[in-house]
Amino acid sequence: MLDQALDARAARLNDRYRHHAATEVLRRALRDPDLGSTTLVSSFGAESVVLLHMVSVVAPGTPVLFIDTMMLFQETLDYQLEVTERLKLTDVRVIRATEREVALNDPDGTLHRFNTDACCDFRKTVPLERELSRFDAWITGRKRFQGGERQQLEFFEAEPPSRLRINPLAHWRPQDVQDYMAENNLPRHPLVARGYASIGCAPCTSPVKPGEDPRAGRWRGSQKTECGIHFIGGRMVRTGAKA
């Protein structure tokens, strides 16, 4: 692994790439020795195809981690296969909780009804951490316009104790996302046309109404804002705004 002075490394990288466009941030970051081994984590959700396409252009052999919670929409599973084939991604790794973890934590598949944090933890955070332990950095699709804790995102951020996160789309606007998908004729997740602006597990995701925050359909009616994978070390916290 690389040195542990993560904040200094993140600051140095942000200075280095401050005036670069998203595609160049991604292209150069995948070759930057100051980042080390890097993977893209993708939900194959509403906007995921943008980063997946960028990776397919600049480095199609980049490892892509897709977390199958075993509670995803069938449309997401089908879309993952479609996009992988169309973009000719060569190293998509589907990761899941083990059978033993499911048997211990959620044998009847009802945990999400009374403890969404615990459900997200064993179905998403724990399996992802197992895979991320092999890498020095990972790429996310988070953007400032998504609000909440994401409003101050930079291209690079520290994730103690030993990783960096790369957010190439941090400064994009909603229209930038739509323009990129249209200009590159990229396939849309089928649930977007049915009002799903942010897509997670089927039991905990609902369509959004006109004027609502794009993530309002995630864990609707609760204070939960994130599944946990975007908190430092997977730490589950709650905030007052959707993030």
Side-chain angles (χ1 to χ4, degrees):
M1 301 294 284
L2 300 176
D3 68 88
Q4 302 302 302
L6 289 180
D7 288 335
R9 283 172 53 209
R12 183 166 64 247
L13 286 161
N14 280 315
D15 286 341
R16 185 181 307 165
Y17 292 97
R18 188 168 305 281
H19 302 295
H20 287 75
T23 303
E24 278 304 297
V25 170
L26 184 63
R27 183 192 309 274
R28 293 170 183 254
L30 286 171
R31 296 168 172 77
D32 194 323
D34 214 10
L35 281 159
S37 59
T38 301
T39 183
L40 166 64
V41 176
S42 179
S43 67
F44 285 79
E47 299 174 347
S48 299
V49 73
V50 170
L51 271 180
L52 290 164
H53 179 264
M54 288 183 180
V55 163
S56 76
V57 172
V58 304
T62 300
V64 177
L65 305 184
F66 171 58
I67 310 170
D68 179 5
T69 64
M70 297 172 277
M71 286 195 164
L72 298 177
F73 291 94
Q74 184 60 47
E75 289 88 343
T76 297
L77 299 174
D78 295 341
Y79 184 64
Q80 183 262 313
L81 295 175
E82 176 192 357
V83 170
T84 297
E85 180 177 358
R86 178 162 172 175
L87 298 184
K88 296 180 171 57
L89 299 167
T90 61
D91 191 8
V92 176
R93 307 177 188 183
V94 181
I95 59 179
R96 304 178 179 92
T98 66
E99 290 183 5
R100 181 175 182 274
E101 287 168 337
V102 173
L104 287 173
N105 293 282
D106 195 12
D108 60 358
T110 62
L111 181 61
H112 66 276
R113 297 179 186 174
F114 55 88
N115 194 333
T116 53
D117 282 354
C119 189
C120 287
D121 186 50
F122 98 87
R123 290 184 181 275
K124 298 184 75 172
T125 308
V126 171
L128 180 60
E129 180 57 34
R130 272 198 296 264
E131 294 299 316
L132 284 180
S133 64
R134 308 177 187 184
F135 296 95
D136 299 304
W138 58 297
I139 303 159
T140 90
R142 293 177 305 151
K143 310 161 193 74
R144 288 185 173 190
F145 74 72
Q146 291 170 323
E149 295 182 348
R150 304 184 184 194
Q151 293 182 71
Q152 304 302 318
L153 273 181
E154 297 291 350
F155 286 138
F156 301 91
E157 58 182 329
E159 184 183 88
S162 59
R163 279 195 301 268
L164 290 168
R165 284 185 287 195
I166 309 166
N167 310 302
L169 308 182
H171 304 287
W172 275 29
R173 301 164 300 173
Q175 192 59 46
D176 296 325
V177 176
Q178 299 306 314
D179 289 347
Y180 187 95
M181 287 193 280
E183 290 166 5
N184 291 282
N185 192 30
L186 298 176
R188 307 297 179 99
H189 193 298
L191 290 179
V192 171
R194 291 161 51 186
Y196 291 82
S198 179
I199 302 164
C201 293
C204 300
T205 306
S206 60
V208 299
K209 301 173 185 176
E212 281 191 312
D213 184 283
R215 288 179 62 83
R218 303 290 293 276
W219 307 287
R220 186 180 292 279
S222 76
Q223 292 298 307
K224 186 175 174 65
T225 63
E226 294 274 7
C227 63
I229 66 173
H230 291 304
F231 293 115
I232 300 303
R235 180 172 56 90
M236 302 298 291
V237 300
R238 295 182 181 274
T239 62
K242 288 289 178 186

